[in-house]
Amino acid sequence: GQDNSVAALDYFDYRRECDSFSSLAAYLLWRPGRVLTGAGEPERIVSTSVSHNFFTTLGVEPLRGRSFLPEEAVFEGPDVVALSHALWQRRFGGDPGIIGSAISIDGAPHDVVAVMPEEFAYPSGVEMWLPMKRGGSQESGRGNNNFFVFGRLRDGVTMAQAQDQTSVVARTISSTYPDSKKGWSVRLESMHETLFGDVRPLMLLLMGATGLLLLIACANLSSLALAGVMARFNELALWRSLGATEAMIARQLMIESFAPTVLGGVFGIGLAVGGVKLLRTFAPAGLPRVDSITVDGSVLLVSLAVTVFSGLIFGIAPALQGARLRLAQILREGRTATESYRGLRLRTLLVSTQIALSLVMLITAGLLIRSAARLQAVDPGFDVGQKLTVNVQLPSFHYSDREMSSQAYRDILDRLRSLPGVVDAAAADQLPLFSGPYNRVHRTDRPPVNDADRVPSLRRIVTDGYFSTLGIRLLAGREFEAGDRTGEPPVVVISEMLAQRLYPSENPIGQQLTLPWGEGIHMEIVGVAADVRDDGPSMDPRPVFYLPYHQYPGNSMRVVVATEGKATSLLPMVRGVIRDIEHDAPIYSEGTMSGWLSDSLAQVRFSTMLLTGFAAIALILAAIGIYGVLAYQVSQRKAELGLRLAIGASERDLVRMILKRGLLLVAMGLALGLAVAYPGSSAVHQFLYGVELLDASTYLAAIVTLALVAALASWLPARRAAQGDVV
């Protein structure tokens, strides 16, 4: 019922049996940090283990050196490594002699065989690639699903054919290894979908909003250009009298419309070049390849196409209107009658359309703003206030014994708790908001028939004091104590949701929970903790089980320090404590829980910020459109308005008359906007949290805002007319 990664042994079966692929590769899903020592300070480098054909399957040639060899992907094979371009430059100064030299990774020498190209970044964040070793611990069982598999289809083979073949292998694996793979199947998808599928809705939303704003701008310019055409009656009449055809006039007016189009396009490209840096600053962390966003040839080509399209859109209506002027009608009816010739209705339609589209933009932005406010108010399940976090990785060449790691973190936390201004300190292999590994667990007294009967749950390995430090409420039992260490009976704390799944009508305290590691670890449940939104405020809590660190010690932990004052002010002292205990331990990813919570909402803020900006521009354009129409009408009715004043009409009468015209435009636009608002704003449905698409308060706020701005735009020309600025 959910997607999962693949066991190394499964991968080897697929690679051996599936000839639909010219190459099938894999990499370790988890990206362990490794300690790089030597010249300079010790540094934690994000790495991954990959099959020997990883680079060749992706079609990527190293910038320097070579790809991995098959003999390097066996347990007793040589230790080699490929470096990212950024790591090569940062750590080794771009030394061309790095190929063939040995560097120290986790205290063991590794020969550098490749430096990858600058633009290569897969998987994201990885800076070192090491070959996965056949026969090593990574092959321990079919339940060790830690690898992501991808392949290059053989020429002439379709996705459907490859799917059929891999499905046969999947059924064989499922029937051969029912304890861990019963009921498992396989599904192929394009790598493009895997990499960009999560952000496609956001990109389409922003693309749609940009297109909508472009249409509003084009409608505005069309309205202004129509006014220009209507003001050129005599000139156009003279052209017709001298023999100009409708086609000639239309062509001339279209050419004239392209002058501001070209200037606007050039100015827009200039803004885009400067705006890329701003985009990178505010772009959410989950946006793929954000660092590679640039104004390149393809962007310039699209910009050229959009520029031409815009010129056609806003230039065609004035050109057709000007070309259709009839000389006889002009001479017969006179200037005043001709000025209202079809143009007024067309300009009214354009302005009403602007108002309608602007209302859609305002409602969409309003829904996102309300959703963002709801997300900010969500209780994440822990206290984010004044919590400093730092990641620490003890070098494995100093801490090969697990008890040594356990003692080191015990010393670090004891020293941190004694610092002035520190309320408490704890550590975990992963903190809330960072997701993490999961395992399938079950009640010991109810053995599962197959793996599907176990409950998939997030796994957290935490020290004593973790729940109190983060402010996670304990609903029953106790949290871990100093006595929960290696050699003592295994214990576990479970989340409220996991307790409800496994013990819906029983008290879980004292019950046994089984973790299927090896032959199975049976743990006594000693506590039930409140649910935590580990995947961010917008995601529902998931089942979680917590293991005591001192029973399952490791080298890499996230330390969290609760402080009395500003958390970041204690960072130098925290770093000093860790350095005193282990000088070679890399310290990285410093931050605060409030900062990590804010980062988890980055995509929501990004889309809300952009759409709100677009809505503000749309509102301004709509106001300009209304003002332009009414100001033009006032200028064309100077004599009439002057006569009304002369025969006794009051200023209030003139203001009311012109405002009535403006508010009629607004009413038409609002009616049209309300008709299309629901389908138009439905694109943001998946980005909303706790807000319905038909949220009455959002609709009302958007209507009132647009109506007030439109009323102001109508009042200005009305006021000018009332003050006598018409004769």
Side-chain angles (χ1 to χ4, degrees):
Q2 64 182 31
D3 289 338
N4 205 337
S5 41
V6 174
L9 294 174
D10 297 339
Y11 159 64
F12 294 129
D13 286 348
Y14 287 118
R15 192 173 74 179
R16 183 180 62 255
E17 301 294 336
C18 297
D19 60 4
S20 296
F21 303 94
S22 59
S23 181
L24 202 63
Y27 68 83
L28 186 65
L29 187 66
W30 308 113
R31 301 163 197 179
R34 300 178 186 269
V35 180
L36 182 61
T37 53
E41 290 287 320
E43 187 176 357
R44 177 189 182 270
I45 307 298
V46 178
S47 69
T48 189
S49 298
V50 303
S51 57
H52 73 273
N53 60 348
F54 176 80
F55 298 119
T56 55
T57 302
L58 289 172
V60 177
E61 290 292 332
L63 178 68
R64 293 181 179 273
R66 58 169 175 79
S67 297
F68 296 135
L69 303 175
E71 55 266 29
E72 294 167 342
V74 294
F75 185 62
E76 298 297 332
D79 291 328
V80 296
V81 64
L83 307 179
S84 72
H85 187 276
L87 178 60
W88 176 52
Q89 292 289 330
R90 182 181 73 248
R91 185 79 184 189
F92 305 101
D95 179 12
I98 191 69
I99 302 299
S101 63
I103 62 175
S104 178
I105 302 174
D106 287 340
H110 287 67
D111 292 331
V112 178
V113 298
V115 173
M116 301 311 296
E118 183 175 2
E119 65 274 10
F120 181 73
Y122 186 73
S124 177
V126 169
E127 292 193 301
M128 287 196 311
W129 296 265
L130 298 94
M132 59 186 290
K133 303 286 191 177
R134 293 215 62 170
S137 61
Q138 294 167 344
E139 292 187 31
S140 57
R142 298 278 173 168
N144 191 15
N145 302 298
N146 289 329
F147 284 88
F148 185 92
V149 177
F150 62 94
R152 185 176 293 276
L153 288 175
R154 195 178 297 278
D155 290 343
V157 176
T158 66
M159 182 82 85
Q161 291 171 330
Q163 176 70 68
D164 291 342
Q165 189 178 57
T166 53
S167 294
V168 171
V169 178
R171 286 193 292 270
T172 301
I173 294 173
S174 178
S175 60
T176 307
Y177 306 98
D179 288 345
S180 56
K181 289 293 161 70
K182 184 177 180 179
W184 282 54
S185 59
V186 65
R187 177 176 59 85
L188 304 187
E189 67 178 21
S190 71
M191 182 171 279
H192 188 277
E193 180 66 25
T194 301
L195 291 176
F196 301 103
D198 289 343
V199 299
R200 182 180 292 112
L202 174 61
M203 295 297 99
L204 291 177
L205 173 65
L206 296 179
M207 182 75 79
T210 305
L212 200 61
L213 190 61
L214 180 64
L215 289 177
I216 295 172
C218 288
N220 197 301
L221 290 171
S222 292
S223 179
L224 295 175
L226 273 173
V229 169
M230 304 309 291
R232 297 169 65 185
F233 279 132
N234 293 337
E235 177 188 351
L236 297 177
L238 179 60
W239 290 3
R240 292 300 305 275
S241 66
L242 294 176
T245 64
E246 291 184 4
M248 293 170 63
I249 293 176
R251 183 170 61 249
Q252 177 62 30
L253 293 177
M254 283 294 297
I255 291 172
E256 291 176 4
S257 72
F258 267 94
T261 302
V262 172
L263 288 175
V266 171
F267 183 59
I269 291 172
L271 285 177
V273 171
V276 165
K277 184 176 181 181
L278 194 63
L279 175 67
R280 290 174 180 166
T281 300
F282 290 99
L287 192 64
R289 303 182 64 83
V290 65
D291 292 335
S292 66
I293 297 175
T294 183
V295 180
D296 57 12
S298 60
V299 172
L300 292 176
L301 186 63
V302 171
S303 300
L304 175 63
V306 169
T307 299
V308 173
F309 172 77
S310 301
L312 290 173
I313 289 295
F314 89 77
I316 193 168
L320 292 176
Q321 188 66 34
R324 288 172 179 171
L325 290 174
R326 297 290 187 268
L327 178 61
Q329 185 181 15
I330 296 173
L331 296 176
R332 181 177 65 253
E333 298 181 2
R335 179 175 178 179
T336 301
T338 309
E339 287 172 340
S340 61
Y341 176 72
R342 293 181 183 172
L344 185 57
R345 278 185 294 174
L346 183 56
R347 293 190 70 201
T348 299
L349 176 61
L350 289 172
V351 173
S352 298
T353 302
Q354 287 182 66
I355 295 172
L357 296 179
S358 299
L359 182 62
V360 174
M361 296 277 283
L362 283 173
I363 290 174
T364 302
L367 290 171
L368 287 176
I369 291 172
R370 290 211 52 175
S371 177
R374 291 285 179 88
L375 282 174
Q376 292 283 0
V378 168
D379 179 8
F382 60 93
D383 180 16
V384 300
Q386 304 308 326
K387 302 289 190 301
L388 177 68
T389 70
V390 296
N391 287 21
V392 182
Q393 178 148 342
L394 300 176
S396 58
F397 50 88
H398 287 177
Y399 297 87
S400 56
D401 181 76
R402 294 164 65 90
E403 186 56 35
M404 292 175 63
S405 300
S406 177
Q407 185 59 50
Y409 277 110
R410 189 178 289 111
D411 293 342
I412 288 172
L413 295 179
D414 287 343
R415 287 274 302 276
L416 290 176
R417 289 164 183 154
S418 67
L419 290 177
V422 172
V423 177
D424 207 347
D429 65 334
Q430 200 60 274
L431 293 174
L433 306 176
F434 289 95
S435 192
Y438 71 90
N439 296 97
R440 296 173 179 268
V441 296
H442 65 272
R443 293 176 55 156
T444 305
D445 60 347
R446 295 182 184 177
V449 176
N450 55 54
D451 197 49
D453 292 337
R454 300 183 176 98
V455 179
S457 307
L458 278 175
R459 185 190 74 230
R460 294 277 189 261
I461 299 177
V462 305
T463 64
D464 49 289
Y466 172 81
F467 298 101
S468 57
T469 300
L470 275 172
I472 300 174
R473 293 181 299 115
L474 276 178
L475 306 179
R478 64 171 177 87
E479 62 176 302
F480 299 128
E481 300 171 346
D484 298 321
R485 59 175 62 197
T486 304
E488 298 298 320
V491 294
V492 64
V493 172
I494 64 176
S495 69
E496 181 180 10
M497 180 175 289
L498 183 55
Q500 291 172 349
R501 292 281 298 275
L502 294 176
Y503 307 96
S505 58
E506 303 173 58
N507 182 5
I509 303 299
Q511 303 273 13
Q512 292 282 317
L513 184 73
T514 296
L515 175 62
W517 285 355
E519 296 181 359
I521 300 176
H522 309 301
M523 307 166 292
E524 180 186 353
I525 300 173
V526 298
V528 177
D531 290 329
V532 174
R533 294 178 182 267
D534 286 281
D535 298 310
S538 62
M539 304 297 290
D540 292 332
R542 289 196 282 171
V544 185
F545 67 97
Y546 302 88
L547 303 177
Y549 169 75
H550 296 297
Q551 288 187 342
Y552 306 91
N555 289 349
S556 180
M557 296 289 279
R558 291 177 180 261
V559 175
V560 56
V561 181
T563 66
E564 292 177 344
K566 187 177 180 181
T568 52
S569 65
L570 291 180
L571 182 57
M573 287 192 289
V574 171
R575 292 179 65 93
V577 166
I578 298 169
R579 284 278 180 257
D580 285 345
I581 294 173
E582 177 48 68
H583 182 269
D584 288 335
I587 303 171
Y588 57 100
S589 294
E590 297 107 335
T592 62
M593 290 307 298
S594 59
W596 299 125
L597 180 62
S598 177
D599 289 347
S600 71
L601 299 173
Q603 181 166 309
V604 174
R605 283 199 308 274
F606 180 68
S607 55
T608 302
M609 176 188 68
L610 286 181
L611 283 178
T612 301
F614 289 168
I617 296 172
L619 190 61
I620 294 171
L621 290 176
I624 292 174
I626 295 170
Y627 176 84
V629 167
L630 296 181
Y632 177 75
Q633 290 182 20
V634 168
S635 67
Q636 295 301 303
R637 300 172 66 183
K638 286 181 180 180
E640 175 196 345
L641 297 176
L643 180 60
R644 287 177 181 272
L645 286 173
I647 62 176
S650 66
E651 294 184 3
R652 181 176 299 178
D653 293 333
L654 293 185
V655 170
R656 186 183 300 113
M657 181 181 67
I658 296 171
L659 274 178
K660 182 179 179 181
R661 177 63 185 173
L663 294 178
L664 180 61
L665 282 174
V666 175
M668 292 171 57
L670 290 177
L672 179 60
L674 286 174
V676 299
Y678 179 77
S681 60
S682 61
V684 301
H685 183 266
Q686 61 185 302
F687 299 99
L688 300 182
Y689 179 85
V691 179
E692 297 296 329
L693 273 178
L694 290 174
D695 183 69
S697 59
T698 301
Y699 273 66
L700 181 61
I703 292 171
V704 170
T705 300
L706 186 55
L708 289 176
V709 171
L712 177 62
S714 303
W715 179 81
L716 290 175
R719 184 63 178 165
R720 284 184 56 200
Q723 291 177 341
D725 188 16
V726 293
V727 293

